[in-house]
Amino acid sequence: MVTTDYSTGILQYIPFFYVIWSDDLLSASEISVVQKVIALDETLTSEEKKQLGNWLHKNRPPHDDEIKNWKQTIATSKVKLIESDTYPLTSLSQRLVKNEELNEQLKHIEIHLGIQPNHYNHLFDVEVVHEKTSDEYDADVLDTILKGEHAEEVDEFRKFLDKPDFAWEILRDKDEFRNRVLKQVQLLGEAGYGAMAYPDAYGGTDNMPAYAAIFEHLMFVDGSLAIKFGVQFGLFGGSIQKLGTKKHHDQYLTDAGKQNYWAVLR
């Protein structure tokens, strides 16, 4: 049976059930922890405990439509996950049901199952809370120190990355995601960033340290992009540069730096 109208008691557990069923790998020990919490939760009625118990059968998992309802319920509430909270998932549940006090039983689930924000933050809208915790440092000063002697290159690179093509988004479709990352790598190649470590004659600046500095900053955009960038221009292009002769450089290196596959393979 698919439920569409949730009581307050049920609603506070929805984020937890959404997380633990999202990978369809709920173990017997996890079920035991949640069952114990539900049994000890005095805020729940017997009917609510029965309903929650019905969603804890490994051989009879919640219907896909039920899980979609959980997702829709959380999304339409406009409540966001705050990763910096001491108990992020419990706090989200608290705000979902507009309760001023944390349900101690829900905290037990979060603690005993070892549920961490990096396990589930992709399932929710996340609110980033910027809080200044110290007056002992200046972020701009630290940024200047970390950029080091390549501050000019890094600043220009940041400006280049500040465009819609590099804006962060979650893509569930594998092919769509791969095509987006490929396009990003092509844009970086066309702008000359892929060839920075190559000699001037092949489109580069012969500046490996500066290349390493901008490569590091790709992690602020997407780890997948950083890996693909490194494989294309570092492993592939770098192998041509370091292991090839002038003949190979003349034939392949410029196109490798521009991410021009067809020219390299011709």
Side-chain angles (χ1 to χ4, degrees), residues 2 19 46 99 108 136 224 244:
V2 176
V19 168
S46 58
N99 192 344
H108 287 311
E136 298 298 320
S224 295

Side-chain angles (χ1 to χ4, degrees), residues 126-177:
V126 178
E127 178 179 347
V128 179
V129 177
H130 297 283
E131 180 181 359
K132 188 174 182 180
T133 58
S134 173
D135 294 320
E136 298 298 320
Y137 67 90
D138 185 302
D140 292 333
V141 172
L142 283 178
D143 189 44
T144 299
I145 293 172
L146 292 172
K147 286 186 292 189
E149 61 185 284
H150 306 296
E152 183 178 348
E153 289 88 350
V154 171
D155 287 338
E156 286 299 318
F157 190 53
R158 287 177 176 176
K159 291 178 183 177
F160 180 79
L161 294 176
D162 189 20
K163 57 180 63 176
D165 292 304
F166 295 97
W168 168 254
E169 64 176 305
I170 297 175
L171 298 177
R172 303 294 186 187
D173 183 88
K174 181 175 65 176
D175 291 332
E176 184 181 1
F177 178 61

Side-chain angles (χ1 to χ4, degrees), residues 89-106:
L89 205 52
T90 304
S91 296
L92 184 147
S93 294
Q94 173 194 5
R95 295 192 303 277
L96 191 63
V97 297
K98 298 179 175 59
N99 192 344
E100 295 182 359
E101 295 184 5
L102 293 181
N103 185 330
E104 294 295 321
Q105 296 302 326
L106 293 177

